[in-house]
């Protein structure tokens, strides 16, 4: 029997070795944050390691959330969060943030009016 399959802890230990034991990302990235990778970023990610290249490949040509990246690469979410934050800092991924904090009240008021209008239909 394969040694890794015999020890269920083996699959969990190895990914954290990729982050060098770090459990906190360089910057906080929300689970729903949208990330993309250009063809140039994907090419450059080949030199950053296998896991980072896999992440960049998942984000090439299609925007992905942090949660989707973790799911598609089958990485624990904490590991994906650390690697993705590193990649954003290294310009290997582009982070597209959601609505800015300023103007939140106005946006909520507008959404409320739209919802109210839809209810009248």
């Amino acid at each position: 029997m394969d040694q890794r399959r015999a020890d269920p802890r083996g699959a969990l230990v190895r990914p954290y070795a990729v982050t060098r034991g770090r459990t906190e990302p360089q910057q906080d990235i929300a689970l729903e944050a949208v990330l993309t990778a250009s063809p140039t970023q994907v090419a450059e990610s080949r030199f950053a390691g296998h896991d980072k290249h896999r992440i960049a490949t998942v984000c090439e040509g299609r925007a992905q959330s942090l949660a989707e990246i973790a799911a598609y690469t089958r990485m624990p979410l904490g590991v994906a969060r650390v690697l993705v934050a590193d990649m954003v800092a290294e310009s290997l991924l582009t982070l597209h943030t959601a609505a800015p904090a300023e103007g939140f009240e106005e946006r909520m008021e507008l959404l409320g009016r739209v919802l109210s209008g839809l209810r009248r239909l």
Side-chain angles (χ1 to χ4, degrees):
M1 182 183 230
D2 189 328
Q3 181 68 19
R4 288 189 327 185
R5 291 180 189 248
D7 185 2
R9 295 172 297 163
L12 295 177
V13 174
R14 186 204 148 310
Y16 287 97
V18 173
T19 65
R20 297 183 181 130
R22 293 177 299 134
T23 57
E24 294 296 321
Q26 294 181 20
Q27 72 180 72
D28 190 32
I29 298 177
L31 289 175
E32 69 277 4
V34 177
L35 298 130
T36 58
S38 68
T40 303
Q41 290 170 313
V42 173
E44 290 175 7
S45 72
R46 290 183 310 157
F47 305 106
H50 174 73
D51 293 310
K52 288 183 179 180
H53 183 64
R54 256 183 16 186
I55 291 170
T57 302
V58 166
C59 296
E60 182 180 22
R62 203 174 138 197
Q64 302 287 350
S65 71
L66 177 59
E68 290 172 316
I69 292 168
Y72 287 136
T73 59
R74 296 184 178 209
M75 279 184 197
L77 184 57
V79 172
R81 178 175 272 152
V82 170
L83 292 178
V84 164
D86 289 350
M87 292 177 73
V88 169
E90 297 165 359
S91 298
L92 295 175
L93 285 178
T94 303
L95 173 64
H96 304 275
T97 57
E102 63 274 352
F104 179 76
E105 291 298 323
E106 293 82 13
R107 291 174 194 269
M108 290 305 293
E109 183 181 325
L110 174 63
L111 287 174
R113 290 194 313 259
V114 169
L115 183 58
S116 176
L118 289 174
R119 286 184 180 148
R120 281 187 252 157
L121 293 177

